[in-house]
Amino acid sequence: MRGRKVLLAGLVFMAAGASTATAAQAGPIASGRVTLHGSPAVVTVTYTTCEDLGQTRTNGVFTSFTNAPPPGCQVVLSNRTASMVLCAGRGSIPPAFRQDPWLQVGPGETRPCGITTTSPR
């Protein structure tokens, strides 16, 4: 009797996992948002899909960002010669990417923005 309970619990878990994965692939994602902060320019892009949306050109000089992508999405900031994936959270934009950058949303992984720690003395 005990063996049946374990097996049944395993079947329920597998079925729930399969339906969650199917729903995630077929349905819309939680919305994502990225904001570039400058002075005085501010650009915010909100999206509901991680499909490659092409590049969005921005106008202005931006020094920082706030990025809130849903799981499985990434935001890429690029200039004419290079690109970088924005981390999730808040961060600074390197000088090479500050003037009129392009934004691109697509599938991919996003790491959290750095956490600074201090060592005990």
Side-chain angles (χ1 to χ4, degrees):
M1 184 73 99
R2 186 174 184 190
R4 288 185 184 178
K5 287 181 183 178
V6 171
L7 179 59
L8 181 59
L11 290 174
V12 170
F13 176 76
M14 289 180 0
S19 64
T20 302
T22 304
Q25 292 172 356
I29 62 165
S31 65
R33 169 183 258 174
V34 60
T35 302
L36 302 181
H37 307 277
S39 179
V42 173
V43 171
T44 297
V45 175
T46 301
Y47 53 94
T48 57
T49 179
C50 286
E51 296 304 311
D52 188 354
L53 300 178
Q55 292 186 338
T56 300
R57 177 74 174 190
T58 64
N59 293 312
V61 177
F62 304 96
T63 56
S64 63
F65 65 87
T66 304
N67 186 25
C73 293
Q74 68 179 5
V75 177
V76 177
L77 190 67
S78 60
N79 60 24
R80 293 175 191 226
T81 60
S83 62
M84 64 179 273
V85 175
L86 296 181
C87 57
R90 294 180 181 178
S92 295
I93 297 174
F97 294 94
R98 291 183 178 174
Q99 180 71 42
D100 302 327
W102 290 285
L103 284 171
Q104 186 171 7
V105 175
E109 294 304 313
T110 301
R111 64 174 178 75
C113 291
I115 298 171
T116 58
T117 60
T118 58
S119 58
R121 293 181 184 219

